[in-house]
Amino acid sequence: MGLIGGLKAVGGIAALAFAFGFADASRADTIEAALVRAYQNNPQLNAQRASVRATDETVPQALSGYRPRIAVTASVGEQYSETTTVSRVNDPPNYTRLRGANAPRSVGATISQTLFNGNQTSNRVRAAESQVSAAREGLRVLEQTVLLSAATIYMDYLRDAAIVEVQRSNVRVLEQTLKQTRDRFSVGEVTRTDVAQSEAQLAASQTQLLTAESNLTTTRANFRRIIGNEPTALAPGTPVDRFLPPTLSGAVELGMIQNPNVTAAMYGIDVSFLNVKVAEGALFPTVSLVGSIQQSYETSLVALKTLNASAAAQLSIPVYQGGGEYALIRQSKETLAQQRLVLDQTRDQARANVTQAWGQLQAAKAQISSAQAQVTASETALNGVREEARVGQRTTLDVLIAQQQLVSARINIVTAQHDRVVASYAVLTAIGRLSPQVLGLGTTVYDPSVHYHQVRDAWIGVRTPDGR
């Protein structure tokens, strides 16, 4: 049962249907449509998607270690040289002087290919891939947060708007009560005290109405911030219990498997483990192949043209580099141990979140039944007190108290219906299943793997896949 439907059934507030614009249900906005708009347009979510795309680029950066490196060099200049040579074969010695200016020029290319570096490249690639997977799980976390916030603010607006109508109805009733009390005072049926009590209760209800309207204004602003449009003609929100497991133990089990915080922490362990392997790779020798070719012109007054070409295999064995590499290995191992503890902490938190959300959902279900009973009893009590007041068995204060008890009961049913829907979304979030796919939202689902495959094997290019 939706929020407004519940109010009509148990509260008898006919004005609520008009307040939310249900004259044409086909034109009413739905919670599913609001979730779609938040999923598509929320700036925080779009920024996180851009962050994941940036993380994708760490994989081709790591893959570059497998690829050759090519550099082209060129130089041109002017030089003056003066050379004096001596020949002592003759007596006296024969001196020869060579001097002049020339313009040396050269162009060359060098290509190098790493053949072995202690598996650092392969481990960097695997670490980058794990980072991408962790970033995707972080995106899932934010997607769930945004969808839960959208569902919550949608229900917040329904609740606050309904409370405004309850308070307005209360003000109208108390205005009528005050009028009747003054009429009875004028004929001597009640005292000045009864009139003052009615006036005080009306003033208090007017203050409560102003507070409710202020809360609704704040909620409207937050609705615009999270969902992206002003709320108009909202349809009732419904729970999503159909997507939840039937038992708490089943919910906890799903939370341990599907909660994106848990899976992100697991990928964090993979990244830390591979960083240890990368750091250890610095202790291994490096083997590379280097080739170069250079064409030079007028390098001296007598050398007009020179061509040099070479190819060599290079072996570099690290012996001692100040101890920094050993410190980095120890640091990486400590980080790995930290990530394992973080995973344990994340699992404990996920289990607690599922249990808490499940308990809130069950409490909200129970509160609806009790709130409905409270409204029914309060209406019956108010009618009885009014009849007894007409025959002098009850005072005006008794009527006012019964009226406020009915108002409180109606607000309780509004709040209970709100909490019922929000709690179901909270449980779905805790088990890691709050997504457009599970909810069946009519929107194109953002797939981060599309961009990943577009850039993973790119050797050159500065433009992003979308043309920037």
Side-chain angles (χ1 to χ4, degrees), residues 128-152:
E129 291 172 341
S130 294
Q131 287 175 340
V132 170
S133 298
R136 292 178 184 177
E137 294 307 300
L139 177 60
R140 283 186 59 211
V141 171
L142 187 58
E143 284 178 350
Q144 291 201 141
T145 301
V146 169
L147 290 176
L148 178 59
S149 297
T152 301

Side-chain angles (χ1 to χ4, degrees), residues 425-448:
Y425 277 91
V427 175
L428 200 61
T429 300
I431 64 176
R433 299 197 64 200
L434 183 57
S435 66
Q437 299 95 317
V438 173
L439 296 176
L441 301 180
T443 181
T444 301
V445 178
Y446 179 81
D447 185 1

Side-chain angles (χ1 to χ4, degrees), residues 197-209:
Q197 289 172 338
S198 297
E199 291 174 341
Q201 192 61 54
L202 175 59
S205 67
Q206 290 171 338
T207 299
Q208 293 168 352
L209 173 59

Side-chain angles (χ1 to χ4, degrees), residues 184-204:
R184 296 176 65 189
F185 173 72
S186 64
V187 297
E189 293 184 2
V190 296
T191 66
R192 169 61 66 182
T193 301
D194 295 304
V195 175
Q197 289 172 338
S198 297
E199 291 174 341
Q201 192 61 54
L202 175 59

Side-chain angles (χ1 to χ4, degrees), residues 377-410:
S378 297
E379 288 179 336
T380 302
L382 177 60
N383 292 333
V385 169
R386 283 174 174 170
E387 291 298 326
E388 293 172 359
R390 288 191 182 98
V391 297
Q393 295 180 351
R394 293 280 185 170
T395 65
T396 301
L397 180 60
D398 293 330
V399 175
L400 294 174
I401 292 175
Q403 172 66 25
Q404 292 312 303
Q405 289 175 342
L406 177 59
V407 170
S408 297
R410 288 174 172 172

Side-chain angles (χ1 to χ4, degrees), residues 1 3 6-7 10-11 13 166 367-375 407-419:
M1 179 182 294
L3 176 60
L7 284 170
V10 298
I13 306 177
V166 170
Q367 287 169 1
I368 290 178
S369 299
S370 61
Q372 289 172 341
Q374 182 185 6
V375 169
V407 170
S408 297
R410 288 174 172 172
I411 291 177
N412 288 341
I413 189 63
V414 168
T415 303
Q417 292 283 5
H418 163 276
D419 295 346

